[in-house]
Amino acid sequence: TKVESKPQTANHTVVGDLSEQIKAATQETHVRAENTDLMTSFQKGQITRTQYKVLLCSLYEIYTALEEALDRNSSHPAVAPIYFPQELDRTEALERDLEFFLGSQWRSKVIVPAATHRYAQRLREIGKVKPELLVAHAYTRYLGDLSGGQVLGKLAQKAMELEGKDGLAFFSFPGVSSANRFKQLYRSRMNSIELSEEQRREVLQEAVDAFNFNIQVFDDLQKMLSVTSESAEKPKGTSRSTPFPPPSSVQLTVGLCVGLLTVGIGLYNF
């Protein structure tokens, strides 16, 4: 089911570079994210392993759906120019991180909220019926990761007291020697895609929707961890076991901001 959102793209022109149009169309969402306490909280390095593991589970489902759709449509005229699996794919990196945090049986421990399922379903849907809309999701996710990845990786490493890079593969792009040069190449390739006026409007709206999906995932993760925390306070034997020990109420709010910042910090630097 496609997420409902205001037609924020209606007042934007459909001429010019697609990358700049997406940036303009999603500006309002950026402002909303910038005006929260989440950015400041994460920059203080307040994230726990519990929160990070739950986030990784959702990211894994999202990127699996996105990359399967991109692979399936790799020769599509709107996808081929921005198809960089060796440089950008995150699925294998997330698998390594999940194995590090959850163990060899991590697949049986993956838990995601309803919003994550909706996000992944949307990616699969457009992959089948409107592959050109994948451009909006690939651009907002990958370029956000490239822009904010280094900062987020260091903050997460320090907050969780991790030694080396184990558990942080998601933030590493070994196939990209220069993030700035690669982003320039990516924008150039994306701007070369030929779209009708209607298709371009749909891509811009899909970019806005991509942010809304991420915000909904964040909200659902917060609710899910709140329930986990409340269950842990009940007498023994009243709740099912979970691979994620409960975070404190204070850590809960400040840590989950990484879900937004994965697309947030990076996007501000597009």
Side-chain angles (χ1 to χ4, degrees):
T1 302
K2 186 173 181 179
V3 67
E4 294 183 2
S5 60
K6 297 178 181 179
Q8 297 178 30
T9 61
N11 296 324
H12 293 286
T13 178
V14 292
V15 297
D17 290 343
L18 183 60
S19 61
E20 289 301 314
Q21 291 171 354
I22 288 180
K23 191 174 182 178
T26 57
Q27 185 175 7
E28 182 180 334
T29 316
H30 284 180
V31 172
R32 284 196 288 121
E34 285 178 328
N35 288 333
T36 67
D37 294 331
L38 303 177
M39 183 79 71
T40 302
S41 297
F42 186 81
Q43 288 175 342
K44 291 178 181 178
Q46 295 172 313
I47 181 171
T48 68
R49 291 195 180 208
T50 297
Q51 296 147 2
Y52 190 63
K53 286 186 287 187
V54 172
L55 172 63
L56 285 177
C57 289
S58 282
L59 288 176
Y60 177 69
E61 178 156 338
I62 292 165
Y63 276 96
T64 297
L66 174 61
E67 289 167 5
E68 286 178 353
L70 291 172
D71 290 344
R72 189 182 307 112
N73 294 282
S74 60
S75 60
H76 187 280
V79 175
I82 51 94
Y83 183 64
F84 293 94
Q86 292 185 332
E87 293 84 358
L88 297 177
D89 274 11
R90 298 289 85 199
T91 301
E92 290 185 8
L94 284 163
E95 288 176 347
R96 293 198 300 274
D97 288 345
L98 285 166
E99 183 171 0
F100 174 80
F101 285 108
L102 301 181
S104 60
Q105 302 300 313
W106 63 268
R107 292 181 188 276
S108 64
K109 301 176 182 178
V110 170
I111 300 173
V112 297
T116 301
H117 288 303
R118 291 195 298 270
Y119 191 173
Q121 179 57 36
R122 176 58 181 171
L123 292 168
R124 295 188 184 97
E125 176 190 348
I126 62 175
K128 293 177 181 177
V129 299
K130 286 193 174 183
E132 64 272 13
L133 298 185
L134 291 170
V135 175
H137 292 277
Y139 179 66
T140 54
R141 289 229 63 99
Y142 289 128
L143 265 68
D145 296 336
L146 276 173
S147 297
Q150 296 304 307
V151 174
L152 288 172
K154 290 177 181 178
L155 288 171
Q157 182 181 33
K158 183 176 181 181
M160 295 184 287
E161 300 180 346
L162 297 174
E163 296 182 4
K165 299 297 182 181
D166 289 341
L168 300 170
F170 175 74
F171 297 112
S172 177
F173 290 83
V176 177
S177 57
S178 168
N180 287 333
R181 285 199 296 270
F182 186 85
K183 285 188 291 183
Q184 290 175 356
L185 169 64
Y186 196 94
R187 292 190 196 96
S188 176
R189 290 284 192 89
M190 190 174 75
N191 293 336
S192 73
I193 297 172
E194 294 186 6
L195 298 170
S196 67
E197 181 173 328
E198 178 60 26
Q199 287 176 322
R200 187 168 288 232
R201 288 187 185 278
E202 290 180 347
V203 169
L204 295 182
Q205 184 60 54
E206 194 69 26
V208 174
D209 291 347
F211 269 95
N212 286 327
F213 274 119
N214 279 283
I215 292 171
Q216 288 180 12
V217 168
F218 166 79
D219 288 341
D220 265 19
L221 285 174
Q222 189 167 14
K223 292 174 184 175
M224 188 173 76
L225 280 177
S226 295
V227 170
T228 302
S229 182
E230 290 172 3
S231 297
E233 294 174 0
K234 296 179 181 179
K236 291 183 179 180
T238 60
S239 62
R240 295 194 315 171
S241 61
T242 170
F244 308 110
S248 71
S249 58
V250 175
Q251 292 170 324
L252 174 64
T253 302
V254 298
L256 279 169
C257 62
V258 70
L260 282 178
L261 294 176
T262 299
V263 293
I265 285 181
L267 282 171
Y268 302 132
N269 297 319
F270 271 3

